[in-house]
Amino acid sequence: MKIAVVALGKIGLPLAVQFASKGHQVVGVDVNQHTVDLVNQAKEPFPGEAFLQDKLSELVPAGHLTATTDYTQAIPGADAIVVVVPLFVNDETWEPDFGWMDAATKSIGENLTPGALVIYETTLPVGTTRRRWKPMLEEVSGLKEGADFDLVFSPERVLTGRVFQDLRRYPKLVGGLSPHGAKRAADFYRAVLDFDDRPDLPQPNGVWDLGSAEGAEMAKLAETTYRDVNIGLANQYAVFAEKHGIDVHRVIDASNSQPYSHIHRPGIAVGGHCIPVYPRLYLWGDPDATIVRVAREANMAMPAHAVELAKAALDGELSGRTVVVLGASYRGRVKETAFSGVFPTVAALEAAGAKVQVHDPMFTDDELAARGWRPYHMGSPVDAAIIQADHPQYADLEPADLPGIKVLVDGRRVTKAENWRGVTRLVIGDGQGGRINP
């Protein structure tokens, strides 16, 4: 097959590589000329994706994968077009911003040829495939969906850093606007993916047809929104436990010891492209989902809560204090700041008058400074530290690494209590209440 992949980001490029590795001819389209140039040079544009560089080194020189900024080189004659263009959400209104996706869809429509299978993998509000992309593609192309081309939604379900592993591990969900389109999508994914045996699933691992585009759209929103709601509940438990001297982590372990409880872990922030965003997309279509809204708001309040813990342990005063935020990434081992808790944590500290520095082993000083932060170097004196990302480098920290430290707020439960004797070490939900470690 000739396959076009639209947007060569941290999901799109590994997908293009996966398709090419199965012997198909793949052309990737991206608006970023630098990304296109690197792909055509068989160089990964971003670090951290397992096996990506090795596969690029094999597939690009062999001619199985090329990249371009020109839709006219990728879309005409394509058997399948897979769209992974980002969808943004307004921070204040929580409304989706379809700008980039609209532009890409119009460019696809201008170059669409009969017989194409168009698949959107970007997570969408329920109904978007049928009510937005179908009429837009039909109007721009002059073609008729269901007769001249087929349109399907099939959500990506992978984590950056382990995309190739997750493609094998999880069922591929598809939902078409017609049974014919759904069958074509199922056949397509069976031709480009392999699946691990999963005896734990209610049906064999592979391609699962959800019956409609709306069903597939909701499935992706449901699985990610569930996690946000669960974490929100865990965070509310944690705040309550702190007030009553209870270790919420022991409570969660005890609760989860029976098979009907699956409480997640509390923490300083929920970041990344997925969990903070997709509940907002769900709420856009279901504004009455009060549970979803309250959980999202609870999770957004946790960075300020961590700052309040530090403030209380410093006798209620942060003004003039030097505080380092450890971790700019939204999670450990990932060089990515999308919706990272570092932003509201730094903002809350600065609002309290603290002198804030940021440290992250995956970012250079210049990269941190470019984001408006003052870089911190281990060994420099501080009054307090707040761990925001669970990088493994932070697990063995001790006071000597942060001279003068009086308070450590471990927002990810990654440090060792025995390393922090004589220092106020607070873990969200541990119920310690500001006591100095003996």
Side-chain angles (χ1 to χ4, degrees):
M1 289 181 288
K2 177 184 177 182
I3 303 170
V5 176
V6 182
L8 297 177
K10 293 188 176 182
I11 304 299
L13 181 56
L15 280 178
V17 165
Q18 171 64 32
F19 301 159
S21 72
K22 299 294 285 185
H24 303 286
Q25 188 68 34
V26 180
V27 180
V29 188
D30 199 278
V31 296
N32 189 316
Q33 184 67 57
H34 182 61
T35 296
V36 167
D37 292 342
L38 288 176
V39 172
N40 286 330
Q41 295 166 23
K43 297 178 181 178
E44 58 181 359
F46 41 81
E49 187 58 57
F51 311 112
L52 180 59
Q53 182 57 62
D54 291 342
K55 292 176 182 288
L56 285 171
S57 298
E58 173 189 351
L59 296 166
V60 173
H64 293 296
L65 173 64
T66 59
T68 181
T69 59
D70 189 350
Y71 281 81
T72 66
Q73 295 181 19
I75 304 302
D79 298 292
I81 303 160
V82 177
V83 186
V84 207
V85 176
L87 172 61
F88 300 100
V89 175
N90 185 289
D91 278 343
E92 296 182 0
T93 66
W94 292 16
E95 293 183 353
D97 178 358
F98 290 103
W100 284 22
M101 294 199 75
D102 283 347
T105 299
K106 291 174 182 175
S107 295
I108 293 168
E110 290 167 355
N111 295 280
L112 195 63
T113 50
L117 170 66
V118 183
I119 305 172
Y120 283 81
E121 290 214 6
T122 305
T123 304
L124 301 170
V126 173
T128 305
T129 305
R130 189 181 305 273
R131 296 198 298 263
R132 192 180 193 94
W133 305 143
K134 175 183 175 179
M136 190 177 295
L137 287 171
E138 288 183 332
E139 179 182 359
V140 175
S141 70
L143 302 176
K144 183 70 174 175
E145 194 281 328
D148 302 312
F149 70 96
D150 290 296
L151 180 58
V152 171
F153 180 72
S154 178
E156 57 84 8
R157 309 178 72 202
V158 297
L159 277 179
T160 55
R162 62 180 210 195
V163 171
F164 298 108
Q165 173 188 343
D166 288 350
L167 285 172
R168 300 180 60 98
R169 181 68 175 164
Y170 306 133
K172 194 71 178 88
L173 311 181
V174 300
L177 300 189
S178 69
H180 179 262
K183 182 181 184 305
R184 286 190 67 190
D187 291 342
F188 167 76
Y189 283 115
R190 291 188 185 105
V192 296
L193 299 177
D194 298 301
F195 297 97
D196 293 336
D197 185 37
R198 289 281 305 277
D200 59 308
L201 298 176
Q203 65 189 73
N205 194 10
V207 182
W208 291 10
D209 184 354
L210 272 290
S212 67
E214 291 78 7
E217 288 165 340
M218 184 173 179
K220 178 56 186 288
L221 294 178
E223 66 184 38
T224 47
T225 299
Y226 161 79
R227 294 173 65 191
D228 197 48
V229 170
N230 196 318
I231 295 168
L233 179 64
N235 280 331
Q236 292 202 332
Y237 286 159
V239 173
F240 176 84
E242 290 168 0
K243 295 175 181 177
H244 294 272
I246 300 168
D247 184 345
V248 79
H249 297 281
R250 296 180 70 179
V251 170
I252 291 172
D253 287 341
S255 299
N256 290 351
S257 66
Q258 58 92 348
Y260 304 107
S261 180
H262 307 282
I263 304 170
H264 289 3
R265 296 290 172 176
I268 186 172
V270 179
H273 295 280
C274 301
I275 302 180
V277 176
Y278 300 157
R280 305 180 195 195
L281 297 183
Y282 181 80
L283 283 164
W284 192 64
D286 184 6
D288 296 326
T290 54
I291 293 173
V292 176
R293 186 176 303 278
V294 169
R296 180 88 296 271
E297 291 171 347
N299 290 337
M300 291 172 64
M302 292 306 291
H305 176 70
V307 171
E308 284 300 314
L309 289 177
K311 181 179 178 179
L314 287 169
D315 300 321
E317 186 57 70
L318 284 172
S319 181
R321 306 273 195 167
T322 299
V323 183
V324 58
V325 179
L326 299 174
S329 299
Y330 73 85
R331 65 178 170 91
R333 299 183 175 88
V334 171
K335 188 179 181 180
E336 176 61 70
T337 60
F339 291 92
S340 172
V342 69
F343 297 104
T345 303
V346 168
L349 287 167
E350 290 178 340
K355 296 183 287 186
V356 186
Q357 299 179 49
V358 175
H359 176 274
D360 194 298
M362 303 193 74
F363 290 82
T364 66
D365 284 359
D366 288 344
E367 289 171 331
L368 293 173
R371 289 165 168 80
W373 302 316
R374 181 183 172 192
Y376 173 80
H377 302 120
M378 290 292 175
S380 299
V382 298
D383 295 299
I386 299 176
I387 295 182
Q388 193 285 135
D390 54 341
H391 291 307
Q393 292 89 336
Y394 297 150
D396 294 318
L397 283 179
E398 51 190 34
D401 299 310
L402 303 158
I405 188 169
K406 303 172 184 65
V407 175
L408 172 72
V409 177
D410 186 346
R412 300 294 183 179
R413 199 186 179 212
V414 66
T415 57
K416 300 177 177 66
E418 59 268 24
N419 287 1
W420 292 91
R421 292 188 174 92
V423 173
T424 299
R425 172 183 173 268
L426 302 172
V427 177
I428 289 177
D430 74 350
Q432 185 172 321
R435 294 189 298 276
I436 296 176
N437 289 347

